[in-house]
Amino acid sequence: MPQRNSTLAPFQHMNFRVLWTATLASNLGGLVQAVGAGWMMTTLTSSHVMVALVQAATALPLMLFSLAAGALADNFDRRAVMLIAQGLMMAASATLAALALLDMLTPWTLLAITFLTGCGTALHNPSWQASMGDLVPREVLPEAVTLNSMGFNMMRSVGPAIGGTIVTVAGASTAFIVNAVSYIPLIAALAIWKPAPRQTALPREHFFSAMSAGLRYVAMSPNLLTVILRSFLFGFAAIAPLALMPVIATSLPGSSALVYGTLLGAFGIGAILGGMANTRVRERLSNEVIVRAACVGFAAAIVGIALSPSVVLSHLLLLPAGMCWVLALSLFNVTVQLSTPRWVVGRALSLYHTMTFGGMAIGAWVWGVLADRFGPPSSLAIAGGALILTALVGLRLKVPEFGSLNLTPLAQFREPRLRLGLKARSGPIMIMVDYVIAQEDIPAFLAAMSERRRIRIRDGAKQWVLLRDLEDPTIWSESYHVPTWVEYIRHNQRRTHADAEVTRRLTELHKGPGGPRVHRMIERQTVPLEDDLPLKDYTDIAP
């Protein structure tokens, strides 16, 4: 049985400790501002939809821009990306504070600046999440992700109450000033951190090609698709109490900004408890059971909140809601990280964030509209029903167990010696791999080749086809294209130890002399009068 890591194991690594601590201050400021923005909206308008849209304006940029931010995280210096994101958020918060002090805020101005702050978060998150693998070893990565969730929710347990006190005593503008100042520790910590440079001899991927590669990888990875769909459904339904929290607070006896803050704080305390129990729960239950239990538990909690006439009871019901929230979302996050190789982890996480926060943004609007039409209690009850349906989806689409695949690079590919004077951007390149397959082995060969097709396309191959020789039916040829020679190298360097099993099966089925024969050819779309790729001398070819 593998040794169980302590939840605190990532703290043994200094860079993680420093950045995690600095992130606490930034999260605290963000939550103080969230209370200020939510409460200020209730003073600017009586519309439940506008109040809920504060939450939507925070989540929407994560849906719209996370994929682009993921491409940046995988191809540029993540530390620099995070510094830019933090600077953007600081500027947005300072602007919000200035407008509030000058009494120039309108509902739409508040939403616009909240949206800009969300843009900074969208830029920051993929780089920060992908940096977990740079800050801690893979074996303690689940604990690092859990500590991230716990850190945020530690601040959620006290930040909203602090924010409510600040808003009550000094006004929302002071809450915005506090948030602007809170970015300074994280900016300083990022400036000091010196991550090891990523080693690669290949040129950086083009931005739009990198985005396309991320989409393609996730689209051809059934496990990732399942996790992302389930996270979307969970985010859509579970955002209801958070989106409507200002409305819930105003409907309770003795409503004030402080009550609003303490309600959010109760949710955060529950999330901390869920984070502390996370490792032990994962030891005893499968991922799918945890997700189903989280959905059902969250549904029961918010239906209770919908019916609760008491401030105390509402606070108590938010504790299990917070526990279920962190159990589900941290499990989704860890599963994505451990189901994705390092070269594309930023983009996979960005698509996870896109769908999760997209679900939250859509859900915040939907529950706000339903609250306006039928009342907040009915809206919360319907959201509880949506969570039950999310649990039932697991009967067909189960969340996979994470860590079962070895996704470290295989590192066995060696660039072949070429007789033509090829450049890195020369292409298109066509690859053909010939196999000799006995008749009785064809079913096994086709099964393995089906998996090979998925891996090839996932890693960048185009126009993949399988050919069979009409004159000698024992000969099969796998054919695919890549745009350039450098993309062919990149394609092969993406191969992982988990992929090697398919290669081994195909090699064992091959009956010809030696291994399967590989042909690497450059295409000609026309017939030139002169050859533009001169033949190399053998002495020019590196041994």
Side-chain angles (χ1 to χ4, degrees), residues 33 36 40 43-44 90-117 171-177 180:
Q33 175 166 304
M40 175 161 275
T43 67
L44 296 174
M90 176 185 276
S93 296
T95 302
L96 189 60
L99 291 175
L101 286 170
L102 296 171
D103 199 23
M104 297 174 61
L105 273 181
T106 67
W108 289 107
T109 304
L110 178 58
L111 288 178
I113 298 178
T114 302
F115 180 84
L116 285 176
T117 305
S173 59
T174 304
F176 303 149
I177 293 171

Side-chain angles (χ1 to χ4, degrees), residues 301-352:
I302 63 174
V303 170
I305 292 167
L307 300 174
S308 170
S310 163
V311 173
V312 174
L313 180 59
S314 295
H315 280 77
L316 292 175
L317 288 168
L318 283 167
L319 294 174
M323 291 182 67
C324 295
W325 173 276
V326 80
L327 284 172
L329 290 180
S330 66
L331 187 143
F332 292 143
N333 189 305
V334 173
T335 305
V336 170
Q337 293 224 33
L338 295 183
S339 301
T340 311
R342 296 301 302 166
W343 69 267
V344 74
V345 68
R347 282 162 281 185
L349 282 167
S350 71
L351 286 167
Y352 159 71

Side-chain angles (χ1 to χ4, degrees), residues 224-260:
L224 289 177
L225 287 175
T226 296
V227 174
I228 288 171
L229 174 62
R230 298 292 296 281
S231 69
F232 171 84
L233 294 173
F234 182 84
F236 171 79
I239 197 63
L242 294 175
L244 296 174
M245 198 71 77
V247 179
I248 295 170
T250 56
S251 68
L252 293 171
S255 65
S256 67
L258 182 58
V259 171
Y260 171 44

Side-chain angles (χ1 to χ4, degrees), residues 196-519:
R198 283 176 279 181
Q199 301 295 328
T200 178
L202 298 179
R204 183 181 293 127
E205 289 181 84
H206 290 302
F207 181 68
F208 290 108
S209 296
M211 291 175 62
S212 175
L215 286 168
R216 182 179 59 243
Y217 188 91
V218 171
M220 299 303 293
S221 302
N223 284 351
L224 289 177
L225 287 175
T226 296
V227 174
I228 288 171
L229 174 62
R230 298 292 296 281
S231 69
F232 171 84
L233 294 173
F234 182 84
F236 171 79
I239 197 63
L242 294 175
L244 296 174
M245 198 71 77
V247 179
I248 295 170
T250 56
S251 68
L252 293 171
S255 65
S256 67
L258 182 58
V259 171
Y260 171 44
T262 57
L263 286 170
L264 289 173
F267 187 88
I269 291 172
I272 292 174
L273 296 175
M276 293 173 64
N278 213 348
T279 301
R280 195 170 297 276
V281 169
R282 286 202 308 264
E283 283 183 337
R284 288 164 170 73
L285 301 174
S286 70
N287 287 353
E288 178 57 35
V289 169
I290 293 172
V291 172
R292 290 187 200 176
C295 290
V296 173
F298 204 113
I302 63 174
V303 170
I305 292 167
L307 300 174
S308 170
S310 163
V311 173
V312 174
L313 180 59
S314 295
H315 280 77
L316 292 175
L317 288 168
L318 283 167
L319 294 174
M323 291 182 67
C324 295
W325 173 276
V326 80
L327 284 172
L329 290 180
S330 66
L331 187 143
F332 292 143
N333 189 305
V334 173
T335 305
V336 170
Q337 293 224 33
L338 295 183
S339 301
T340 311
R342 296 301 302 166
W343 69 267
V344 74
V345 68
R347 282 162 281 185
L349 282 167
S350 71
L351 286 167
Y352 159 71
H353 288 140
T354 295
M355 295 303 291
T356 303
F357 288 100
M360 292 179 187
I362 296 169
W365 175 76
V366 168
W367 307 128
V369 169
L370 291 177
D372 265 345
R373 180 166 298 184
F374 303 110
S378 297
S379 181
L380 290 171
I382 296 170
L387 280 164
I388 298 297
L389 291 177
T390 300
L392 293 176
V393 169
L395 297 175
R396 292 294 301 272
L397 296 173
K398 293 185 179 181
V399 174
E401 298 301 312
F402 51 72
S404 58
L405 298 177
N406 184 353
L407 297 175
T408 54
L410 188 59
Q412 290 184 353
F413 176 75
R414 297 293 180 269
E415 186 174 348
R417 298 188 298 175
L418 304 179
R419 289 295 313 278
L420 291 179
L422 220 60
K423 297 181 175 65
R425 295 296 175 187
S426 296
I429 305 297
M430 178 181 180
I431 309 300
M432 292 188 69
V433 186
D434 296 336
Y435 301 87
V436 178
I437 305 297
Q439 185 67 26
E440 62 271 17
D441 292 333
I442 287 178
F445 172 76
L446 292 177
M449 194 55 72
S450 176
E451 183 67 12
R452 167 59 66 86
R453 173 187 179 275
R454 185 185 64 81
I455 292 170
R456 292 286 199 204
I457 296 174
R458 184 199 67 191
D459 289 349
K462 302 178 186 301
Q463 301 175 43
W464 188 97
V465 293
L466 183 62
L467 309 169
R468 190 176 189 184
D469 194 302
L470 295 176
E471 297 180 13
D472 186 351
T474 63
I475 298 177
W476 296 73
S477 295
E478 174 195 11
S479 171
Y480 64 94
H481 294 69
V482 288
T484 63
W485 181 250
V486 74
E487 290 301 321
Y488 172 70
I489 298 172
R490 202 190 307 277
H491 170 85
N492 282 279
Q493 290 184 350
R494 290 169 175 169
R495 196 175 306 159
T496 67
H497 283 272
D499 301 332
E501 171 61 21
V502 177
T503 302
R504 184 191 63 79
R505 283 156 48 198
L506 289 170
T507 302
E508 289 178 352
L509 291 169
H510 174 66
K511 303 302 183 185
R517 172 73 188 280
V518 181
H519 307 270

Side-chain angles (χ1 to χ4, degrees), residues 70-138:
L72 293 174
D74 284 332
N75 286 282
F76 289 87
D77 181 358
R78 290 172 183 149
R79 183 180 73 109
V81 172
M82 288 188 280
L83 282 168
I84 293 170
Q86 292 298 310
L88 172 63
M89 288 188 281
M90 176 185 276
S93 296
T95 302
L96 189 60
L99 291 175
L101 286 170
L102 296 171
D103 199 23
M104 297 174 61
L105 273 181
T106 67
W108 289 107
T109 304
L110 178 58
L111 288 178
I113 298 178
T114 302
F115 180 84
L116 285 176
T117 305
C119 290
T121 304
L123 182 61
H124 174 84
N125 275 355
S127 288
W128 172 238
Q129 296 288 344
S131 293
M132 291 300 99
D134 303 325
L135 292 168
V136 300
R138 180 180 175 86

